[in-house]
Amino acid sequence: MSRGIHQETELGGRRGARLPRIESAGLDGWLVRLFERIDEDNLAWLGALARRCEAALGEDLVDLVPSYTTLLVTFDPLGLAPEVARARLEALLADLTPDPAAGTGQVHELPTWYDPRVGPDLEGVAGHLGMSVAEVIDCHAGREYRVFALGFAPGFAFMGLLDERLEVPRLSTPRRRVPVNSVAIAGRQTAAYPAVTPGGWRLLGRTTARLFDRDRDGFSLLKVGDSVRFVPVDRATFERHGGDMTPVEKHS
């Protein structure tokens, strides 16, 4: 293998548990942990495992939920005993190889208005990092992001990896209400909120993209393996395309 899937983790300078490993996720699920660290190369392995699970578990497969480093496999315990499901997963892992195509999806361009009126943390992030607002915008919009996982809320895509220069912690106290389509960063991740929810990520602006639609096949615009570019637009363009001007609650 070009990048061996079998490895040992380092815990406090000592050798830890060997990867990959299979962890219990209840009577109808197993969590397969392939890696400990976030890396774009993980997607090719996770995607390959997901495809092989579909073939190996067949009608008994209920759902597959990929994340940065893991794949949650849920199955019908009435049709497939947990120990049998685990044995099949172990067999798949024994000769797993990455599938580059499995980690490749669509490319999406999200028109985004970066402005304190819809991105109230923009100026604070710039000040904290010793950058100008224009530099923060250029840095955030200047790279393509991969969708590593969906979660937290329907259609919420965890994307990365953010440029190291933009790495900032989450807010110490989350906002109670983040407007739909808010574009945000936290750590080395970025995201856009598909619905009005609480949230602790730092808001830089807002997109006009419809991220979650009940009438769309699959509901979510973004899927694991997709790539995303945030494309800066001005206020006039933002409003012309239906951009939401709902103000953001102040954060202390």
Side-chain angles (χ1 to χ4, degrees):
M1 300 180 191
S2 59
R3 177 185 174 200
I5 191 69
H6 294 284
Q7 55 185 298
E8 289 185 350
T9 60
E10 294 286 346
L11 300 175
R14 297 176 296 173
R15 287 290 180 180
R18 188 170 174 79
L19 294 176
R21 62 177 180 267
I22 301 174
E23 304 169 2
S24 175
L27 297 176
D28 62 348
W30 293 106
L31 182 72
V32 184
R33 187 174 301 279
L34 295 185
F35 304 101
E36 291 290 357
R37 296 180 180 178
I38 298 173
D39 192 303
E40 286 192 19
D41 290 342
N42 295 357
L43 288 171
W45 292 92
L46 291 162
L49 180 59
R51 289 186 177 184
R52 297 191 67 184
C53 283
E54 291 175 349
L57 303 184
E59 296 180 349
D60 296 315
L61 180 65
V62 174
D63 198 12
L64 295 168
V65 183
S67 185
Y68 288 102
T69 57
T70 64
L71 179 68
L72 175 62
V73 182
T74 57
F75 53 90
D76 180 3
L78 298 179
L80 188 66
E83 61 272 17
V84 174
R86 182 185 178 107
R88 292 188 187 179
L89 291 174
E90 289 173 343
L92 297 181
L93 292 171
D95 62 352
L96 185 67
T97 57
D99 179 1
T104 303
Q106 290 184 287
V107 177
H108 304 270
E109 293 190 345
L110 306 188
T112 302
W113 181 36
Y114 295 91
D115 189 274
R117 283 164 285 188
V118 290
D121 300 315
L122 179 60
E123 294 174 328
V125 166
H128 175 77
L129 297 175
M131 302 170 71
S132 68
V133 167
E135 287 173 331
V136 170
I137 295 171
D138 288 345
C139 193
H140 185 262
R143 66 166 50 189
E144 191 170 280
Y145 302 98
R146 297 295 295 278
V147 177
F148 285 104
L150 297 176
F152 171 62
F156 189 98
F158 293 85
M159 294 177 269
L161 290 169
L162 199 66
D163 190 304
E164 292 180 352
R165 292 174 294 169
L166 290 184
E167 187 171 352
V168 290
R170 290 174 170 83
L171 297 171
S172 57
T173 303
R175 289 184 172 88
R176 294 170 297 176
R177 179 184 173 88
V178 175
V180 64
N181 288 358
S182 293
V183 172
I185 60 174
R188 293 200 63 194
Q189 303 177 92
T190 188
Y193 286 77
V196 177
T197 67
W201 291 30
R202 297 180 187 267
L203 309 184
L204 303 185
R206 203 170 292 173
T207 180
T208 59
R210 192 173 182 84
L211 300 166
F212 183 79
D213 187 345
R214 295 184 184 278
D215 295 326
R216 179 191 291 128
D217 183 29
F219 305 130
S220 176
L221 172 66
L222 307 178
K223 297 177 175 57
V224 173
D226 284 356
S227 297
V228 173
R229 299 189 188 102
F230 293 92
V231 180
V233 298
D234 58 21
R235 176 174 179 172
T237 302
F238 178 77
E239 292 187 302
R240 186 168 64 250
H241 288 88
D244 180 9
M245 293 293 295
T246 301
V248 184
E249 67 176 23
K250 294 185 180 297
H251 188 271
S252 58

